[in-house]
Amino acid sequence: MLRWPSFIALYRNDAMPHTNTHIRDLDTLPVSTLFWRYAIPSIAGMLVTGLYAVIDGIFVGHYVGSHGLAAINLAYPLVMLQVGLGAMISMGAATRIAIQQGAGDMRAARGTLLAALALLALLSALLPALGLPNIDLLLSWLKADVQPQVAEQARGYLLLMLSGAGLTMGPMLLTYLVRNDGRPKLSTALMTLGALLNIGLDYLFVGVMGKGLAGAAIGTLLAEAVVLILALAYFFSPRAALRIKLGQLRPDWQGLWPILALGAPSLLMELNLALLLFAHNRQLLVWGDDLSVAAYAVAGYSESLFTLVIHGLAVGMQPLLGHAIGAGQPDRARAALLHGLKVGLGIGVAAWMAVQRFPAWIAGWYSDGSAELIEAGSRALRLHLLAMPLDGLVIVGATALQAMALTRLALGVTVGKTALLLPALALLPMAMGLDGVWLAMPMVNLLLGVAVSLLLWKQIGQLQGGARAESS
């Protein structure tokens, strides 16, 4: 349990070390030791961040049922748009502030921080103003109005999530900036606190009070509001390096465009995921029904736990691999890459075995006891997640290519997934029916897994050759 005194102490004692010891460790400590030193906090951070959606899914499945799961899955592309906009501001502002702080220009960094907050306020007003009057049109686009029970739940959820758009985007921005201000432990503590509050509030509003999907939205927004208030309080405190003072509220309006430009890739990545979710939902309604969409939610929530772990592992591997490449240490770069691939494949195989062996038990996490949902969810889990080890390989491989400054190849892997998946979703169901929708993702992961394996094999060979040349 998080004790308030220790939580508050993080405001005072948490600081990010930038010392020669850190660089010396990267050069000398065993790669396996460094790997877990970086990977474990990264995986924990990823899981905490992703728990909001998974917790909502578990409570909605248990207390609302398959109609609730279908509704949240159909409505979620719009929430992902909000998350994408929040990620754009967060990454853009964090990158610009880091550059300005590195140059010693704290005044400019503070102006960027205020500009980012102003942009957040603008989007917080703009999204509800555009979305709420057009809620029925949005539900129609998302195909969330086909079944009355689904439409009722989706409407209540979207009305609240659009109204609280700023509470979805704000905590992401502020926790990013708290971390950049030299307080990574405080940032993690804030995210953990939000996840714990979300669990309690979801139980209260969904389980006890029976407010359905609207209750899940209320719980999420209230938890995010607490995180937002605490993070803002930090920046108004004397503990913040970029302290905000009421008499010095001067945003750098010229910094708005750089924030947007630097954060655009994060928005595009989230929009890509929203597009894939939207495409799956549409095809499932064409070849199945709302129960199929609920089953996809079961598979999707389970997949997200796996991908969060793999993404955390890949992000933890990145500084080791990047430093070794930059320091001209091909042997350590090769060791870091091979270690990341082995661990990623090991986790992928273990997750695949669990899904194939216990699909009904996993589906039961998100079910109110409905035999139909457990049966449909079990089939979705077995087919849709058939290529989990290869999915993990693609994620780790793309991150590794990016860490080695092979940006075009990394981008090609990311874009290639969408380019292959959309036609697969259109064509496979024509031959296989509903199973074709489930098998589209494994088919694409198989093709991409082979391509990424060949790319990485070539890079490992080049690193091995570089190590031999260096030792001779």
Side-chain angles (χ1 to χ4, degrees):
M1 184 176 179
L2 192 63
R3 293 181 293 112
W4 278 106
S6 62
F7 176 76
I8 294 171
L10 289 171
Y11 276 82
R12 301 175 182 171
N13 301 325
D14 183 24
M16 184 183 292
H18 297 285
T19 65
N20 292 330
T21 303
H22 169 67
I23 301 299
R24 186 170 62 249
D25 286 349
L26 286 172
D27 287 331
T28 59
L29 287 181
V31 168
S32 58
T33 301
L34 287 169
F35 178 86
W36 290 113
R37 177 185 291 183
Y38 280 87
I40 290 173
S42 178
I43 291 170
M46 287 283 184
L47 284 173
V48 168
T49 303
L51 275 178
Y52 281 97
V54 176
I55 290 166
D56 282 350
I58 291 173
F59 278 99
V60 168
H62 270 283
Y63 293 105
V64 185
S66 61
H67 294 306
L69 282 176
I72 199 170
N73 218 52
L74 289 167
Y76 212 72
L78 275 186
V79 179
M80 294 176 78
L81 169 62
Q82 295 179 6
V83 172
L85 290 169
M88 176 180 66
I89 303 172
S90 303
M91 287 301 296
T95 302
R96 184 169 168 81
I97 287 172
I99 293 170
Q100 290 167 331
Q101 285 180 317
D105 194 345
M106 299 300 288
R107 183 176 180 180
R110 189 174 291 105
T112 299
L113 168 61
L114 292 170
L117 292 175
L119 187 57
L120 171 66
L122 175 63
L123 289 175
S124 300
L126 190 60
L127 288 176
L130 294 175
L132 293 177
N134 298 297
I135 188 71
D136 292 324
L137 178 61
L138 293 173
L139 289 170
S140 176
W141 282 352
L142 296 168
K143 298 298 180 184
D145 61 345
V146 176
Q147 213 275 355
Q149 286 179 287
V150 172
E152 179 185 359
Q153 293 288 340
R155 183 184 179 87
Y157 181 75
L158 271 185
L159 282 172
L160 285 164
M161 294 305 290
L162 283 170
S163 300
L167 297 178
T168 301
M169 298 180 289
M172 187 185 309
L173 170 63
L174 269 299
T175 52
Y176 265 66
L177 297 182
V178 167
R179 181 185 290 111
N180 265 37
D181 205 54
R183 308 283 183 170
K185 292 181 182 178
L186 175 59
S187 177
T188 302
L190 287 169
M191 291 188 291
T192 303
L193 176 64
L196 293 175
L197 283 172
N198 195 27
I199 293 172
L201 292 170
D202 268 3
Y203 176 72
L204 174 64
F205 289 111
V206 182
V208 177
M209 300 178 68
K211 290 188 175 296
L213 229 61
I218 294 170
T220 297
L221 294 174
L222 286 177
E224 290 175 334
V226 171
V227 174
L228 178 63
I229 291 168
L230 289 174
L232 272 176
Y234 164 76
F235 279 108
F236 279 97
S237 77
R239 304 294 175 184
L242 290 179
R243 185 182 181 186
I244 301 173
K245 297 181 180 180
L246 292 177
Q248 300 175 350
L249 298 179
R250 300 184 185 89
D252 177 14
W253 299 114
Q254 294 182 345
L256 288 177
W257 174 248
I259 290 173
L260 296 175
L262 290 167
S266 297
L267 172 62
L268 292 176
M269 188 179 299
E270 200 66 32
L271 290 179
N272 177 58
L273 295 175
L275 174 62
L276 295 181
L277 175 59
F278 177 74
H280 272 95
N281 286 340
R282 287 185 73 91
Q283 287 296 85
L284 288 168
L285 288 174
V286 170
W287 297 96
D289 51 23
D290 61 290
L291 181 62
S292 305
V293 178
Y296 178 51
V298 169
Y301 285 127
S302 304
E303 182 186 23
S304 71
L305 289 174
F306 167 70
T307 55
L308 285 167
V309 171
I310 294 295
H311 271 293
L313 183 150
V315 170
M317 176 193 68
Q318 181 271 328
L320 277 67
L321 184 55
H323 176 83
I325 293 292
Q329 301 168 338
D331 54 335
R332 291 179 68 82
R334 179 175 175 273
L337 177 55
L338 286 174
H339 200 78
L341 290 172
K342 288 176 184 177
V343 174
L345 283 172
I347 293 173
V349 171
W352 176 82
M353 291 175 65
V355 166
Q356 298 301 318
R357 182 68 180 86
F358 307 109
W361 178 69
I362 296 172
W365 296 355
Y366 309 95
S367 171
D368 59 351
S370 165
E372 285 186 332
L373 178 58
I374 291 176
E375 181 181 356
S378 297
R379 186 162 185 80
L381 283 163
R382 279 182 162 156
L383 294 181
H384 187 65
L385 304 184
L386 192 59
M388 289 180 86
L390 292 174
D391 193 11
L393 174 65
V394 170
I395 293 170
V396 174
T399 304
L401 291 171
Q402 192 171 9
M404 292 186 286
L406 300 171
T407 310
R408 290 184 180 179
L409 290 177
L411 183 61
V413 172
T414 304
V415 174
K417 192 164 192 175
T418 303
L420 290 171
L421 187 53
L422 291 178
L425 279 171
L427 297 175
L428 283 180
M430 294 181 183
M432 305 175 68
L434 180 60
D435 284 350
V437 182
W438 298 133
L439 289 170
M441 182 69 82
M443 181 73 71
V444 169
N445 281 329
L446 174 62
L447 295 174
L448 276 180
V450 171
V452 170
S453 297
L454 293 174
L455 287 171
L456 293 177
W457 183 265
K458 180 180 178 181
Q459 295 304 317
I460 290 170
Q462 290 178 352
L463 290 170
Q464 187 173 15
R468 287 174 180 170
E470 192 176 69
S471 61
S472 62

